[in-house]
Amino acid sequence: MASLYQTNNGSICHLLPHHTFGRRADKVDTHLSDPQVSKIHASIEWDGRDWLLKDLSLNGVWLDGEKITAQQAYPLKPGQLIQFVSPELRFKVQDLSPPGSYLVPGDSGQPIVALQKLHLLPDEDSPLAALQLCNDSHQWQLDIFADEGEPINLQHGQIIELGDRHWTLQLSENTTSPTLVMDKDQALDNYCFVFNTSADEENTGLSLSKGQKQVDLGDRSHHYVLLHLARQRGADNAEGLNEFDQGWVDNSLLVKELGMELAHINIQLYRLRKQLTDTMPDLTGISKMVERKRGKLRFGKAAFRIYKSGQLEVEKTSA
């Protein structure tokens, strides 16, 4: 991630695609506390090829000891020194990577994480939450596994806290105000979930089917939670319940039936979401694969077939 290093105190300034410096804390990205600094003193902006420094002030900006011309753009190079008015406000150009979206850890000893579509936090071995970019809304969301509520929508600059760890969400402009183009052919509800489980249900395979297209997701332990929810929806459908009421399972009952804590159930579901995201990156509607309401979960609206030992057990067409 593009960054500057403040030489007098060692702090790191991570650059946004259009980054401003100045005295007016509520108007700039990096606050410079000095009476000689203008309200908006300077900017550094990515133009698609270079990071460009521009002096917007009355009292000047220096680059490698030379005062630059106001309102003129100067391409930056690694190792250059930028000074705003006084030597105490001197920054060294540290990294000039193109802008992107990142998780910046509160602990400087931890690495910055370049964001993909789904992350388990604090790590994949002992996750407490999932951070995901919803394909439908193009909105970053945080889902805390121990909670029963809806995922939390996140904004640029928001701090994510989990236990004694915290991160700042740094979003580039192209992920905060996207132009969405939805491909209906890539909607999850257009696929049929095909489950294949063994007689003892120790192994559960899953594939997605649409016409002649088959996507094999293999045999994974996290497929079984979704199978369990699909069975409940299939049973309610067979009894003639309407679509609105079908398939809902109380979290407390689900915990008892599956023999695992709610947090672990959520982890299993997010491992499946991650598998789908990695395997079919353009797929939309993944967030609705499992629906939630007031302490309950259910399988979503997609069609499914469940086979046990090769025999069809239950099937349901899409809602």
Side-chain angles (χ1 to χ4, degrees):
M1 183 177 185
S3 60
L4 308 178
Y5 171 87
Q6 190 165 358
T7 59
N8 75 320
N9 61 19
S11 64
I12 303 296
C13 170
H14 298 288
L15 296 178
L16 301 174
H18 179 80
H19 199 103
T20 53
F21 302 78
R23 195 178 74 250
R24 182 77 181 270
D26 61 330
K27 295 293 185 181
V28 297
D29 300 301
T30 297
H31 177 227
L32 304 175
S33 181
D34 189 299
Q36 296 185 71
V37 170
S38 300
K39 292 179 180 179
I40 301 178
H41 195 93
S43 68
I44 296 178
E45 184 172 18
W46 175 256
D47 73 345
R49 187 180 66 178
D50 295 306
W51 288 95
L52 304 176
L53 172 66
K54 187 180 290 187
D55 179 11
L56 308 175
S57 72
L58 295 176
N59 292 332
V61 175
W62 284 257
L63 184 61
D64 283 341
E66 298 289 334
K67 189 175 183 181
I68 65 175
T69 303
Q71 301 298 330
Q72 183 172 322
Y74 290 78
L76 292 174
K77 299 177 182 178
Q80 288 183 309
L81 287 174
I82 302 168
Q83 181 175 314
F84 305 109
V85 181
S86 70
E88 287 73 26
L89 299 177
R90 185 180 292 150
F91 294 79
K92 184 176 183 178
V93 178
Q94 182 169 266
D95 187 305
L96 292 176
S97 303
S101 295
Y102 301 88
L103 269 183
V104 181
D107 179 357
S108 60
Q110 297 293 321
I112 294 172
V113 180
L115 291 180
Q116 301 173 5
K117 287 189 174 181
L118 192 149
H119 292 268
L120 295 174
L121 298 175
D123 54 58
E124 294 203 4
D125 294 330
S126 304
L128 300 175
L131 175 67
Q132 64 172 340
L133 178 62
C134 179
N135 270 3
D136 306 340
S137 63
H138 219 76
Q139 170 72 55
W140 283 99
Q141 297 178 327
L142 180 71
D143 201 344
I144 299 174
F145 294 144
D147 291 350
E148 297 188 6
E150 291 293 320
I152 303 165
N153 288 336
L154 301 174
Q155 304 297 329
H156 164 71
Q158 196 157 344
I159 295 175
I160 298 170
E161 296 186 69
L162 292 171
D164 59 354
R165 301 274 298 276
H166 71 275
W167 302 261
T168 301
L169 185 65
Q170 297 276 3
L171 299 179
S172 65
E173 292 175 347
N174 62 356
T175 58
T176 54
S177 56
T179 300
L180 295 178
V181 179
M182 293 296 185
D183 185 350
K184 292 183 179 180
D185 289 338
Q186 292 297 326
L188 182 68
D189 288 349
N190 288 337
Y191 288 83
C192 178
F193 285 71
V194 182
F195 298 92
N196 283 279
T197 189
S198 59
D200 58 7
E201 302 197 357
E202 289 293 322
N203 302 291
T204 303
L206 175 62
S207 62
L208 296 188
S209 171
K210 185 180 71 170
Q212 299 299 312
K213 183 176 181 180
Q214 302 285 329
V215 180
D216 185 6
L217 297 173
D219 185 332
R220 302 286 190 276
S221 60
H222 53 249
H223 296 163
Y224 190 77
V225 174
L226 191 64
L227 165 66
H228 189 85
L229 292 172
R231 270 184 172 148
Q232 184 62 52
R233 180 134 197 179
D236 288 351
N237 182 63
E239 291 183 6
L241 269 67
N242 63 54
E243 290 286 346
F244 182 79
D245 294 324
Q246 285 179 16
W248 292 108
V249 183
D250 283 318
N251 289 342
S252 57
L253 179 59
L254 196 60
V255 165
K256 182 178 180 180
E257 290 175 339
L258 292 175
M260 60 180 74
E261 296 298 322
L262 181 61
H264 188 60
I265 292 171
N266 283 324
I267 290 170
Q268 297 290 77
L269 291 174
Y270 270 90
R271 291 197 189 283
L272 177 52
R273 286 191 186 184
K274 188 174 191 305
Q275 186 185 16
L276 285 172
T277 300
D278 292 343
T279 306
M280 306 171 70
D282 296 325
L283 193 66
T284 61
I286 294 176
S287 63
K288 297 300 182 183
M289 177 180 65
V290 172
E291 299 176 354
R292 305 182 186 208
K293 73 169 184 180
R294 297 187 300 278
K296 297 181 180 183
L297 296 175
R298 76 168 177 179
F299 186 90
K301 296 181 174 63
F304 60 85
R305 296 194 298 273
I306 299 174
Y307 294 88
K308 185 170 182 176
S309 298
Q311 299 296 313
L312 181 63
E313 177 185 288
V314 63
E315 67 178 327
K316 181 184 180 300
T317 58
S318 59

